[in-house]
């Protein structure tokens, strides 16, 4: 069964500090991993996906198949990064994504 | 970019009545749309997969007679909460894939519809 675990409900960091939002997954096939973000009063939107291997808004995430992890990292947190972050797991084809429970990131000035 | 529109954004209804929520893909066609439910401070729970021209696929524990899904066109899926009760009060979110055929599995989300049943 597909499962996504985000162990932290809330993560508070100071502005300028490094951020790591943890995500672990369980899937027997070839996974596609995503990070979605929901800013206050806005809709859920894609932040990044592992196949793109890109950096968005300073965030990066590397898929580690050995550890079945897809942690989201940013070296220097900004106040505008405060939001709800969801890790999601999918596979190829037109199938729904499975979401983790989300981590609320709070960046303190 | 791809946009998914949901309407209404907020609705309040009396217990026992039915409420319809619309989800439209504005600039792309979506053969499949997904309906999620989000409880306060909790994650998104997949309710069902809406398939254009065929029956929706419901997740375990979701009552198909309670939550009627219709996907009559490539740009519109509707979710009807029938005989609503206060426990149906929630935030309902739809999503769709805008790039079917490219192999990517990126979902575009609607802004959500907050249902309050009195």
């Amino acid at each position: 069964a597909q499962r996504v675990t985000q162990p932290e409900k809330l993560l508070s960091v100071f502005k300028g500090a490094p951020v790591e939002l943890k995500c672990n997954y369980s899937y027997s096939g070839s996974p596609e991993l995503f990070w979605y973000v929901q800013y206050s009063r806005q809709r859920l939107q894609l932040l990044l996906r592992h196949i793109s291997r890109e950096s968005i808004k300073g965030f990066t995430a590397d898929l580690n198949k050995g550890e079945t992890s897809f942690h989201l990292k940013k070296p220097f947190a900004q106040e505008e990064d405060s939001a709800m972050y969801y890790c999601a797991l999918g596979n190829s084809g037109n199938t729904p994504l499975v979401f983790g429970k989300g981590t609320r990131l709070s960046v303190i000035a | 970019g791809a946009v998914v529109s949901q309407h209404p954004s907020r609705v309040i209804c009396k217990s026992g009545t039915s409420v319809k929520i619309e989800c439209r893909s504005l600039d792309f066609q979506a053969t499949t749309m997904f309906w999620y439910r989000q409880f306060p401070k909790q994650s998104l729970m997949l309710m069902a997969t809406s398939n254009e021209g065929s029956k929706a696929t419901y997740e375990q524990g979701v009552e198909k007679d309670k939550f009627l899904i219709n996907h009559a066109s490539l740009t519109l899926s509707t979710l009807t909460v029938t005989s609503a009760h206060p426990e149906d009060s929630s935030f309902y979110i739809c999503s769709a894939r805008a790039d079917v055929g490219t192999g990517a599995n990126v979902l575009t989300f609607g802004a959500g519809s907050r249902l309050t049943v009195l």
Side-chain angles (χ1 to χ4, degrees):
Chain A
Q2 298 180 53
R3 189 181 303 134
V4 177
T5 303
Q6 291 180 252
E8 304 138 328
K9 279 189 176 181
L10 174 66
L11 183 64
S12 296
V13 300
F14 286 103
K15 178 182 175 181
V19 173
E20 182 179 65
L21 300 169
K22 290 184 167 50
C23 172
N24 287 90
Y25 67 92
S26 174
Y27 183 58
S28 57
S30 182
E32 290 187 48
L33 274 299
F34 306 82
W35 277 98
Y36 280 81
V37 60
Q38 189 171 27
Y39 299 102
S40 179
R41 300 182 185 279
Q42 294 187 31
R43 70 183 67 192
L44 205 64
Q45 58 185 284
L46 177 69
L47 179 62
L48 53 78
R49 47 182 166 163
H50 90 270
I51 59 173
S52 299
R53 302 184 68 82
E54 56 197 347
S55 174
I56 303 294
K57 299 184 179 182
F59 284 98
T60 58
D62 292 318
L63 177 62
N64 186 324
K65 291 187 177 181
E67 296 182 357
T68 60
S69 69
F70 189 57
H71 303 326
L72 183 67
K73 300 178 183 179
K74 183 169 183 176
F76 308 104
Q78 302 298 315
E79 289 181 74
E80 54 266 30
D81 296 328
S82 296
M84 194 75 180
Y85 291 80
Y86 294 95
C87 182
L89 168 69
N91 54 31
S92 59
N94 204 14
T95 54
L97 296 181
V98 174
F99 285 84
K101 293 191 174 183
T103 299
R104 181 168 297 283
L105 174 64
S106 177
V107 181
I108 306 165
Chain B
V3 177
V4 172
S5 172
Q6 254 185 270
H7 177 80
S9 57
R10 291 178 181 271
V11 57
I12 301 172
C13 69
K14 292 183 179 180
S15 185
T17 61
S18 295
V19 173
K20 180 186 286 187
I21 300 170
E22 293 187 348
C23 178
R24 293 181 185 274
S25 56
L26 295 187
D27 48 2
F28 65 99
Q29 294 182 333
T31 56
T32 303
M33 293 185 176
F34 305 102
W35 286 95
Y36 290 86
R37 182 173 177 177
Q38 187 175 34
F39 294 94
K41 298 185 179 181
Q42 294 190 35
S43 186
L44 295 90
M45 181 193 79
L46 178 66
M47 298 177 64
T49 300
S50 172
N51 304 298
E52 187 268 335
S54 64
K55 291 183 179 180
T57 304
Y58 290 83
E59 295 300 301
Q60 191 173 10
V62 178
E63 300 176 58
K64 60 182 180 181
D65 295 329
K66 173 77 171 174
F67 300 98
L68 299 180
I69 291 173
N70 184 280
H71 196 152
S73 77
L74 287 172
T75 59
L76 174 64
S77 174
T78 60
L79 168 67
T80 301
V81 183
T82 62
S83 187
H85 290 281
E87 56 265 30
D88 298 326
S89 298
S90 192
F91 196 57
Y92 294 88
I93 307 173
C94 74
S95 65
R97 288 182 59 197
D99 50 1
V100 175
T102 67
N105 196 5
V106 176
L107 292 183
T108 298
F109 284 83
S113 300
R114 182 163 302 284
L115 170 64
T116 303
V117 184
L118 303 176

